[in-house]
Amino acid sequence: MAFGYNGKILRVDLSREKISIDSPDDVFYRRYIGGEGFVAYFLLKELKPGVDPLGPENKLIFAAGPVTGASISGSGRNSVGAKSPLTEGFGEAEVGGYWGAELKHAGFDAIIFEGKAESPVYLWIHDGEAEIRDAGHLWGKDTGDAQRIIREELGDKLIRVAQIGPGGERLVRYACVINDLHDAAGRTGMGAVMGSKNLKAVAVRGHEKGKVADAEKLKELARWLIQNPKTWSWAHDLGTGGAMEAFVELGNLPIRNFRDGDFSNAKALDARTIKDTISIGMESCYACPVRCKKVVKIAQPWRVDPIYGGPEYEALAALGSNCGVDDLKAVCKANEICNRYSLDVISTGDTIAFAMECFENGILTDIDTGGVKLNFGNAQAMVQMVEKIGRREGLGDILAEGVKRAAEKIGRGAERFAIHVKGQEVPMHEPRRSRALGLGYAVSPTGADHVHNLHDGSVASRNPYFEKLAALGILEPVPREDLGPRKVRALIYVVDWCVLDNSLLMCCFLPWDHIQKTEIVRAVTGWNTTVWELMKVGERITTMARAFNVREGFTKKDDRLPERFFHPKTSGALSETAVDPAKLEKARSIYYEMMGWDENGVPTRAKLEELDVAWVAQTLG
Amino acid sequence: MAFGYNGKILRVDLSREKISIDSPDDVFYRRYIGGEGFVAYFLLKELKPGVDPLGPENKLIFAAGPVTGASISGSGRNSVGAKSPLTEGFGEAEVGGYWGAELKHAGFDAIIFEGKAESPVYLWIHDGEAEIRDAGHLWGKDTGDAQRIIREELGDKLIRVAQIGPGGERLVRYACVINDLHDAAGRTGMGAVMGSKNLKAVAVRGHEKGKVADAEKLKELARWLIQNPKTWSWAHDLGTGGAMEAFVELGNLPIRNFRDGDFSNAKALDARTIKDTISIGMESCYACPVRCKKVVKIAQPWRVDPIYGGPEYEALAALGSNCGVDDLKAVCKANEICNRYSLDVISTGDTIAFAMECFENGILTDIDTGGVKLNFGNAQAMVQMVEKIGRREGLGDILAEGVKRAAEKIGRGAERFAIHVKGQEVPMHEPRRSRALGLGYAVSPTGADHVHNLHDGSVASRNPYFEKLAALGILEPVPREDLGPRKVRALIYVVDWCVLDNSLLMCCFLPWDHIQKTEIVRAVTGWNTTVWELMKVGERITTMARAFNVREGFTKKDDRLPERFFHPKTSGALSETAVDPAKLEKARSIYYEMMGWDENGVPTRAKLEELDVAWVAQTLG
């Protein structure tokens, strides 16, 4: 077994209350790495096609990676995956914090949950042991209370808890899984899958720090980070969301359901404002000096409990500007409720923005909203609506289904305001600005997802990122507006690496370049791995996720963007330009072909064989 | 400009006697690297389709790589390329020694020869200067005499000379270019192209050792080699050809025109025998401690001059066992004549073997041979025939055309004994043994070529090479007999790197793994390059060479193996097994698809775009 892995994957059959351990070989670990890779493997290998995402036949996978738990920044993360109740396709999300490292220290690399518990339970994993425990007393509790009770009853304050709140319990389709009360495996509704299995929480405690192959080299790489604070001081000082005004000017900030370009008080939502007013410090992840996560405390008009952390950029934009809201405290409260209830801030914000636009267009009325004036900019209404979604109360019950299903239920043309791809709401980065981002959203296996598309390959020669991309052979600047072949190529390379990051579970904010990250993997595992091998792992996993969706019935026409992005914003920076649908369609074809997929977006047998997963071709029939 | 390059490419118009200098930018160098990459670039970019390989419109390129001339083993090499008079397609060969390093020290990265000199000339390059000089007095001279005269007349004993002998002058289609009298850019007839241009030699002297980006790191890598002699002692002790008997047992040794499996006296041709009898030492390449090259001296019955070095494995097998000859001294003499006349030992040996089989089958008679009993095993006849080919005398004039054209001229069914791919004779590694080698020969842009197929991806788990291949993601053993998708994948990865080696001009015998070689390139150039980027360079160049052949009219049916390999050997290890043509054809289809080529083997536009050479698609029309 390579260093960096325990060689043990926990398998928990909730229906039969049976726990067992898989012991994969070294080749399995090297081929699928961890995180998203494990998710893709187990979903394709073990799920029957067409299962109900909220039924017992779905499986829920928690996975760490090789580096997780090692003494190096970015090693606290884990991934959560299942068939998505939001998209009905490949579901997966990553999350930072400490839980992933704790799982590794407790002796396991991943957990596969199968079936459904008869009544609410939680799993308690400690130093190689695992037990299913009753969670009747926890069900219905906010995440904060649940974590406190679990720690108390197990008698250890350092237990790490991944869990759902009432939103997950009530199967809000975009419910997330919350670690440490403030870190979310946010996208694709993994919290709803957890809820559907009557699984409240996974509590973990471990004391065995695994050995790494080359501790000296790993220290050297950790030292480099500490000695180069300029490369991460932006994150240390402000975290995300420190350029809200610039984002308005550039057109990158979603405003009023992705409709508008003007937003006069963006400064109110800026991380600098938070720092100067309501911040009480910054929180870290395991073994990381960067400390990029905001913690806010507010007494009134809303009480915001700092145990729930504070809003990241995605929350500030989704619950703020995209709802037309510039009331920072309201956004912080909404963010806190999302963490209490385990709701994805992006989908929550987008869904409320959708409802607001419906309301302003008379598609939803006072009757639907129970009297709430659900206009853009109504901070009070926005906060109320988050709570209603979490409780599935009134209109909240419809909105808890996500914009796609909500629009179908509402009818009356609401669909045109439902900004999603494959049923997942669009994150806070504007495809009208970075054109390949639109392509990335369109083809992403998880639907619109910025964690599969952290960068779209646009790069100017003066950008420090340019030098990094050269390591992948992107030798010349590729402008944002470009959507031609060289941009598609850049997107593919960037996304393949991004998916690798999701599998290694290494944080994408950290400044290590491709060479250093590979050196980290090498130092931990002892493998003689290379950027070539790791890029191919990324491509392999991207293609496996694609294959899963093909098997679930997705076709080329699901690789689309919402109509809205084909029109300019009503004002501001992007009021005269938009995504050209013909160019997008052409770029999609080029993308398929470059990926080795056929003209319908189905991975070819030869490509699957070249990626060393010939068995996947068989699952496609 | 990156370290490792001069930023200057010499362009010599022999027709107009005009010399100029190209100054490509850094992106050019990083994208095409050097050697075979430069050849592919300039042939595709500058040659009109369909030109006569022996006409003035062909261009002859001498190219070094980034590492060439740096203080590290394997950095003395250069590449020679042109449209091949042997295959009428992509022609290219590499050669070791000192000449490449000298060219770099003289201030140039490559030379492009255009047109044809009116009368024989040679080029004299020295410290940034270049002049075309008369070679009337050199024409017709053996390489040994020519080198002596050039050094004398230029007054410098350390001048390095790449040149042709009378074989190249007489346009023997498989004439090679000889460096330092004993190192050959052997394959695809580059010496004939040189002869067709009335270019006798390129003499070089330079004193400017370029700077490298990270001299300390380069030293460390050089030190690793010196401190790990076990990794190269095989080469140091014996050079190639130290396992002749084992090769008979394994079936790898070509015997009597690839027909037979028995060869009782293989020991007579073994490098160990050479060491114990006629060796007078070992010769080195620039900056290399390995010293793998034999030097032999023989007084009688043939006088073999040690200035011409000694036979490598390819010569021992092609002129020896493949002609049924076990007379070591005869083989050494034949090898010496090849170096005097600038003939490729492989094609020369194979062509004589072909003639011998024709003779034994009555297709050639005493009348054709001028009374020579051209039977397998007739050492005297073999040596005579080499001389006749070099002089184009009698039957030699026909055999100087290579087996394909000779068989056409001879007729009478001779074709079945012509063992070639695309007109180039097959090297000394048996495709019936390593099945993917057969595929490699079939699809190689240069025809049958072991320098495009140094390894076919077969690997057992106990093989030290297995660990190396893991760095490319080949995680499980792939047996020799396998010709399925996972073997095709392994072949592709291995060949892509091999073509990269041919472009970096790094010696493939040296034990550095993919990571170390990448570190060498990084230390020299200062680029943040990775195994990913370099593998993609290999893939790019393989695909460009393919595109060149497509443009020249090659089709799928040229990607074939000689019929002989579909039948077992008459005896010995492979007397009961052979390449299955149906499996080979299927493997070829898989190869095309994995390469991103269409079902006819034509690179798709999307693949060319993904490889960052969209312009190549335009040359395909």
Side-chain angles (χ1 to χ4, degrees), chain B residues 489-511:
Chain B
R489 168 180 182 258
L491 176 78
I492 285 174
Y493 287 8
V494 167
V495 168
D496 282 348
W497 188 270
C498 187
V499 169
L500 174 77
D501 268 347
N502 297 347
S503 304
L504 289 172
L505 270 327
M506 288 180 76
C507 176
C508 63
F509 285 171
L510 296 169

Side-chain angles (χ1 to χ4, degrees), chain B residues 437-453:
Chain B
L437 192 62
L439 176 61
Y441 287 167
V443 299
S444 162
T446 47
D449 188 334
H450 67 297
V451 190
H452 276 90
N453 297 281

Side-chain angles (χ1 to χ4, degrees), chain A residues 3 55 81 128 133 145 166 180 191 302 353 416 519 541 553 573 594 604:
Chain A
F3 294 95
R133 293 176 62 101
D145 291 338
D180 302 322
W302 286 285
R416 69 184 189 278
E519 285 173 343
I541 297 166
M594 284 188 184
T604 62

